[in-house]
Amino acid sequence: MNALRFFKRREFFRIALQDLSGTVDFWTCVGELSHLADAMVKNALDIAMAQLQESYGTPTSAYTVLAMGKLGGGELNYSSDIDLVVLYEKQGETRGGPSSISYGEFFSKLTEKLIQLIAVATEQGSVFRVDLDLRPWGNKSDLAHSLESFYIYWDRYVEHWERQAFLKARPIGGSLDFGARVLREIEAKIYLDPLPEGFVAKIQEMKLLVENHSAEQAGGRTNVKTGPGGIRDIEFSVQLLQMVYGAAHPAIRLPGTQAALNALASENIISEAEKQQLIEAYVFLRRVEHMLQIMTNQQLYHLPAQKRARDQLGIRLEIADGEFDIQYKQLTQNTRALFQDLFYKRIDRPVLSKKSFNQALSQDRMPLRELKTWLAPYGFNNLAASFRNLKDIRGSEERSQQAFASVSIGLLEACRDAADLELQQFARLRRIIDVPVGARALGSSAEDAKARLKIEWGSQIRSYVLFPYQQVNDHRTELKTSDVTGVLDGDLDD
């Protein structure tokens, strides 16, 4: 037991030293803390399994240990509990030992020994605190559950908050293949299609309850985790978007916050700017949390009440003396505003798929209500004209339309800030140079479209419009740079 504690302290000190000296970034730090916890659980399981086999023999059932919460997401902090769920595949009795017990007893004993090895405090302290409350039926049930029991619970009793918790589940012990199979088999119960009536409202209500409870406990102090614009605002935003859109967008089914945000942006559920804002806010807030916990060696989330102590905290975070309160207030206010949009308003916005959007553009005309559904969320006001411009850019040839399909949502996203004007300008350019391959000019991906349509119109247009123009239309006169600039500045007529 003490060997595990010594190893954990040594590695913990190494990671903290790297963190404080700035030699690793935030994501490396939390990744290494998570890898350390994974290793401690695996080693403790090996010790526990060997001890039990001496007394009871060996079970032939596969088992798995699922990490939940921050450990599941690979984002452990310095004072996190580790949330675990232990499952075994089938019923039976052990064989080959002095005595025989059921698999249920065996794996419950295995879990109990795991807790003793890493959570019970000795003169050397503990390795990690362990929380098993996310298992079926909570802390009133067996420490380990059979797969049959687990599925019965998920079929009949699972709550929406438990679906949310399992977004971050990750197998870390026992059979990783068995754990991955279990998680695949419950995906349809996590990412519901269609969403039951009141689903979103339940998650929103739960968030409000957490906020209210936290405010009562805070006594006027600022809570980095649960306060307005804090860590929980970001995590709940990400997780609600995953549950609402995960059925139609499998790419967003990821346990880590950063990976999930990257996927949400790639799937056009949030914008690149929103992704970047949330990642930067998450890193800032988690680093504040880390410093609070390193300074006190406690599971602490409240900012110090004294301004001088907060300024010292800011200095440790490489913030100019006296500037911490200003930066913290501005960041959390901006985060809160985006949370309010994503968590309450944006959640009802339809997310456009490339396939459905291009099917809509194949129509000659579209009812106003449909136009609003497709275009209004991206900032288009002149809906009918924008519809015509999109059809012009899409072109009439099959190759052109296929190319457009690959970048169409990226085009809308890129035009978001000045949608009608930017789309009109690009459509005019498309008609003037009459590129037969149409949207191939946009590039090969939504990222190309975003990068190329956002800021540097003149030089960017030359690189992705003139090149295919010259290749496909080498019998025509090459369009001059001044002509392109004129179109973008609105100097040329259609």
Side-chain angles (χ1 to χ4, degrees):
M1 288 176 67
N2 285 339
L4 291 174
R5 285 154 177 75
F6 174 78
F7 183 83
K8 186 258 183 173
R9 282 205 316 275
R10 188 187 72 183
E11 288 300 294
F12 189 88
F13 178 76
R14 178 186 63 81
I15 295 167
L17 187 62
Q18 289 180 328
D19 187 11
L20 291 169
S21 64
T23 56
V24 298
D25 64 13
F26 165 77
W27 298 109
T28 301
C29 176
V30 295
E32 290 201 3
L33 287 169
S34 301
H35 293 324
L36 174 61
D38 289 355
M40 293 295 94
V41 170
K42 290 174 185 175
N43 279 274
L45 285 170
D46 289 342
I47 295 169
M49 180 65 77
Q51 291 175 350
L52 288 173
Q53 285 175 337
E54 288 182 2
S55 300
Y56 304 110
T58 304
T60 59
S61 170
Y63 81 99
T64 191
V65 177
L66 302 177
M68 312 290 286
K70 281 188 169 61
L71 179 56
E75 300 160 348
L76 206 64
N77 65 31
Y78 287 104
S79 190
S80 290
D81 297 346
I82 58 173
D83 298 294
L84 304 176
V85 173
V86 181
L87 303 173
Y88 58 95
E89 187 173 20
K90 59 186 179 181
Q91 302 285 1
E93 293 192 349
T94 58
R95 296 172 181 267
S99 61
S100 178
I101 59 175
S102 71
Y103 288 170
E105 292 176 277
F106 184 92
F107 288 110
S108 287
K109 287 180 180 291
L110 180 71
T111 307
E112 189 174 4
K113 280 191 171 292
L114 171 65
I115 295 171
Q116 290 172 354
L117 286 166
I118 65 176
V120 172
T122 69
E123 66 275 10
Q124 300 293 328
S126 63
V127 182
F128 287 100
R129 297 182 301 274
V130 177
D131 190 332
L132 298 170
D133 287 353
L134 292 174
R135 68 190 187 272
W137 291 283
N139 58 15
K140 297 180 180 179
S141 68
D142 295 336
L143 295 179
H145 281 266
S146 70
L147 189 57
E148 179 185 16
S149 169
F150 180 73
Y151 285 156
I152 288 172
Y153 183 83
W154 271 75
D155 284 338
R156 301 179 187 176
Y157 307 111
V158 70
E159 300 281 352
H160 292 329
W161 66 266
E162 291 171 298
R163 302 181 204 276
Q164 183 178 356
F166 266 79
L167 292 170
K168 302 187 80 66
R170 176 175 63 90
I172 63 166
S175 170
L176 304 187
D177 289 340
F178 172 55
R181 175 164 64 85
V182 172
L183 294 179
R184 284 195 302 271
E185 289 174 355
I186 64 168
E187 276 192 335
K189 300 180 188 299
I190 297 173
Y191 305 100
L192 300 172
D193 186 19
L195 290 175
E197 185 176 353
F199 176 86
V200 171
K202 279 286 186 184
I203 302 298
Q204 292 169 338
E205 179 184 358
M206 182 171 63
K207 175 65 169 72
L208 187 60
L209 289 173
V210 170
E211 271 187 34
N212 291 340
H213 177 73
S214 172
E216 290 174 3
Q217 298 294 315
R221 296 171 296 171
T222 300
N223 191 308
V224 176
K225 184 176 182 179
T226 59
I231 295 167
R232 277 287 186 263
D233 277 7
I234 299 169
E235 292 174 340
F236 265 80
S237 296
V238 171
Q239 291 162 18
L240 181 57
L241 291 171
Q242 285 180 294
M243 288 190 288
V244 169
Y245 299 117
H249 299 265
I252 69 174
R253 302 174 187 177
L254 299 167
T257 301
Q258 183 184 40
L261 281 167
N262 285 330
L264 287 165
S266 295
E267 294 293 300
N268 302 294
I269 295 168
I270 62 175
S271 70
E272 286 291 327
E274 290 165 340
K275 176 197 83 172
Q276 196 60 36
Q277 179 183 339
L278 290 173
I279 288 177
E280 289 175 1
Y282 186 77
V283 170
F284 176 86
L285 293 166
R286 288 292 309 275
R287 290 190 68 224
V288 171
E289 177 188 60
H290 278 189
M291 289 301 169
L292 289 171
Q293 295 179 355
I294 290 174
M295 288 162 56
T296 63
N297 196 29
Q298 296 177 15
Q299 197 172 21
L300 186 66
Y301 301 105
H302 293 101
L303 294 181
Q306 298 78 21
K307 185 179 187 307
R308 186 58 196 155
R310 295 196 299 274
D311 289 340
Q312 291 172 342
L313 173 63
I315 291 170
R316 292 186 178 94
L317 293 166
E318 299 181 344
I319 297 171
D321 192 11
E323 294 294 312
F324 176 81
D325 284 353
I326 297 171
Q327 286 197 27
Y328 187 89
K329 181 178 180 180
Q330 182 177 5
L331 180 135
T332 52
Q333 284 179 342
N334 292 340
T335 303
R336 184 64 170 186
L338 182 52
F339 161 76
Q340 296 282 6
D341 182 31
L342 294 175
F343 198 71
Y344 293 105
K345 301 174 185 176
R346 186 86 60 85
I347 208 66
D348 293 325
R349 174 188 294 177
V351 176
L352 311 186
S353 70
K354 295 170 183 175
K355 181 178 178 181
S356 59
F357 181 55
N358 282 279
Q359 286 174 344
L361 285 179
S362 66
Q363 304 176 56
D364 292 331
R365 300 182 64 184
M366 190 183 295
L368 181 61
R369 188 168 72 174
E370 287 188 44
L371 282 173
K372 285 183 178 179
T373 297
W374 292 109
L375 300 180
Y378 290 89
F380 291 93
N381 295 309
N382 192 341
L383 301 178
S386 296
F387 178 68
R388 290 194 300 271
N389 286 331
L390 284 166
K391 287 180 69 68
D392 279 346
I393 297 170
R394 182 172 180 262
S396 57
E397 294 186 2
E398 183 178 355
R399 284 189 304 166
S400 171
Q401 293 174 357
Q402 289 173 350
F404 181 84
S406 69
V407 295
S408 53
I409 305 301
L411 171 62
L412 295 184
E413 186 63 56
C415 291
R416 186 186 288 272
D417 293 336
D420 294 309
L421 176 61
E422 294 193 353
L423 190 62
Q424 179 188 32
Q425 289 174 331
F426 193 80
R428 292 173 68 195
L429 179 63
R430 162 75 173 86
R431 290 195 295 272
I432 288 171
I433 64 175
D434 191 25
V435 180
V437 292
R440 281 206 297 175
L442 288 173
S444 60
S445 69
E447 291 303 316
D448 289 338
K450 291 179 186 180
R452 291 168 174 171
L453 286 167
K454 238 175 188 180
I455 303 172
E456 299 96 347
W457 276 90
S459 60
Q460 300 281 4
I461 288 286
R462 289 196 301 277
S463 68
Y464 72 88
V465 171
L466 294 187
F467 177 73
Y469 174 80
Q470 292 162 2
Q471 290 225 333
V472 180
N473 302 286
D474 53 5
H475 63 283
R476 300 187 180 187
T477 303
E478 180 177 334
L479 194 67
K480 296 178 181 177
T481 300
S482 59
D483 295 332
V484 176
T485 307
V487 174
L488 300 177
D489 292 337
D491 294 337
L492 298 178
D493 295 327
D494 290 350

